[in-house]
Amino acid sequence: MLAGGGARGAYEAGALATLAPALSERGQTPNIIVGTSIGALNGSFLAARAHEPLEAAAAAAVKMWRELDWGDALRPLLSPPELARLLEAGAMFAKLPCADVPALLDPAPLRGTLERRVAFDRIARNVDDGVLSAAAVVATSYASTRSIVFHHGGGRPGFNHLHAIDYAATALAPEHVLASAAIPGAFPAVEISRPAAAAGWYGDGGVRLNAPLQPALALGAERVVVIGLNSSATHTRESAPPDALDGVAQLLQVALADQLADDVARLAAINERLAASGSSSVPGGLRHRRIPYIFVAPTDRLAIGHLAREVYEDRYAGLAGPLRDCNLALLGRFVNAARSAVHGELLSYLFLAPEFIDKLIALGESDAKRWLATRHGPRLWQVRRLPPGKGNSAPARGRSLET
């Protein structure tokens, strides 16, 4: 299960590359892959290579991330089309006559990158041949605001009224992944035509369901490997008073990190109740299934923000920054990344700098190694809630995982 977070997806590749040997040694390679946003890109990449040894597929994902740069995902910020787009946006806000502005950024290069990197016909073959039970990506419908899980395999999960989740069976294609990663406002909406029953305009799956734990369980998962790109815990305090961008970062934190940590904590709480009752499963719903889990995520909310700020200040903040990469230098200045780690968090979502990617991969490897070195219940797998300070878990509360 792979969460969303833009360029931070390199962290997922590093974590998976570290977990892969331990999982393969036990014959526990994933047969259900579910991703949201950048997790959908990583997930489709891995699903297309599911017929390969897990270690080889994870190593290929690391290699892919090390080869990516700004031009693989976005048009240059100073290109004529982008400048025209920004002028149109300014005119729109000033209520001047202008054309509709679909988004602030143009991710047109991402389609070509996705089609080159992911063999979508191979995903279908891997599911049809039984190598995978299911592959799925999550997007958000602009028409209904519900989360739509586009899945190949996994039976007929139906729908989840409680959490506004619908399921659409279809062979995965580039538009499903592009829709899952279409950040509202920043990227234009993506039109999906199949399956016909779910046709329409879609945006980033992380808007409602950045943590696709419930779809993974609905598709039949009996244990889950969860890789998150945000932490709900913080051990540092910024001294400067919050500004407007700090508020944006706070909203992202609530939408991306807290949801994921809460879902994993609720899953563990259900496991504990079942253990106390002496049962491993109770018919009647996913709420009553015992699900061992692996949960790898940064241990501090600002860990990735600190890395982004550090790389920006070292490589892109000075006079030489625009010479190294004008897009990255401009982006850093726009979010004032040097101000704080919180501003670094905002930069990190689009910060496709090779130095930052390397640090993210290393952080993912480090956090995965920490999980492997920690004593859990049945071997690698945790069943109960994590002790305070031992992971990214939060007290279970509120929402249930029941479908």
Side-chain angles (χ1 to χ4, degrees):
M1 197 202 87
L2 303 168
R8 303 150 75 98
Y11 175 97
E12 293 177 339
L16 280 170
T18 300
L19 293 175
L23 291 169
S24 297
E25 181 183 330
R26 294 162 173 78
Q28 295 174 333
T29 55
N31 69 346
I32 297 173
I33 299 175
V34 186
T36 294
S37 196
I38 199 62
L41 189 153
N42 280 336
S44 63
F45 181 90
L46 293 168
R49 292 173 172 265
H51 58 289
E52 302 175 6
L54 179 60
E55 292 166 79
V62 169
K63 181 175 182 292
M64 173 191 71
W65 271 99
R66 287 194 164 125
E67 293 171 350
L68 292 179
D69 61 23
W70 181 276
D72 291 310
L74 296 159
R75 290 198 188 280
L77 291 176
L78 292 183
S79 64
E82 280 299 302
L83 291 175
R85 188 187 301 262
L86 290 175
L87 288 173
E88 289 172 352
M92 180 183 70
F93 284 119
K95 297 185 178 181
L96 298 175
C98 65
D100 291 336
V101 180
L104 294 178
L105 299 172
D106 184 357
L110 186 57
R111 175 177 284 273
T113 300
L114 184 62
E115 291 174 345
R116 289 192 303 273
R117 298 285 184 173
V118 177
F120 283 88
D121 58 341
R122 187 73 226 199
I123 298 177
R125 201 183 325 164
N126 284 339
V127 174
D128 294 342
D129 291 348
V131 176
L132 285 175
S133 296
V137 302
V138 183
T140 303
S141 167
Y142 272 90
S144 68
T145 72
R146 293 173 68 88
S147 297
I148 311 298
V149 181
F150 295 97
H151 65 101
H152 190 178
R156 297 178 177 274
F159 50 83
N160 183 325
H161 280 313
L162 182 61
H163 303 304
I165 303 172
D166 296 324
Y167 292 83
T170 184
L172 296 184
E175 55 264 29
H176 299 116
V177 176
L178 292 170
S180 182
I183 303 169
F187 295 171
V190 175
E191 186 175 20
I192 289 178
S193 58
R194 61 182 177 87
W201 292 94
Y202 287 85
D204 198 309
V207 171
R208 287 192 61 94
L209 194 64
N210 192 54
L213 180 54
Q214 291 148 341
L217 299 180
L219 293 169
E222 297 178 356
R223 59 182 70 211
V224 290
V225 177
V226 182
I227 301 181
L229 301 177
N230 302 73
S231 170
S232 64
T234 184
H235 308 293
T236 59
R237 180 177 297 174
E238 296 292 335
S239 57
D243 63 6
L245 291 178
D246 290 320
V248 174
Q250 185 83 343
L251 290 174
L252 288 171
Q253 167 70 14
V254 172
L256 303 183
D258 295 347
Q259 175 194 141
L260 176 60
D262 283 354
D263 275 359
V264 172
R266 276 186 289 272
L267 180 70
I270 292 167
N271 289 341
E272 290 175 359
R273 289 199 294 271
L274 288 169
S277 70
S279 174
S280 61
S281 64
V282 177
L286 298 177
R287 185 180 184 180
H288 305 293
R289 289 167 54 194
R290 180 175 175 272
I291 306 290
Y293 65 93
I294 291 172
F295 183 28
V296 177
T299 56
D300 188 281
R301 181 174 71 88
L302 298 178
I304 291 179
H306 281 298
L307 291 182
R309 181 189 184 191
E310 174 186 313
V311 171
Y312 172 73
E313 288 190 310
D314 183 50
R315 301 288 294 171
Y316 299 96
L319 295 176
L323 299 178
R324 293 191 175 97
D325 192 303
C326 184
N327 299 297
L328 300 177
L330 283 174
L331 181 65
R333 284 162 173 76
F334 178 75
V335 301
N336 193 14
R339 183 179 189 271
S340 69
V342 175
H343 284 235
E345 284 280 310
L346 290 176
L347 174 65
S348 71
Y349 289 93
L350 295 175
F351 197 32
L352 287 165
E355 304 89 349
F356 180 56
I357 296 301
D358 284 343
K359 287 182 179 291
L360 279 176
I361 291 169
L363 181 62
E365 292 171 343
S366 174
D367 288 339
K369 287 176 181 176
R370 182 181 300 108
W371 180 276
L372 295 175
T374 302
R375 186 169 182 172
H376 298 285
R379 298 185 180 181
L380 300 180
W381 303 89
Q382 182 77 13
V383 176
R384 298 178 181 274
R385 280 171 284 193
L386 293 168
K390 294 297 184 182
N392 195 28
S393 191
R397 61 182 185 270
R399 225 164 20 102
S400 131
L401 281 169
E402 185 179 19
T403 58

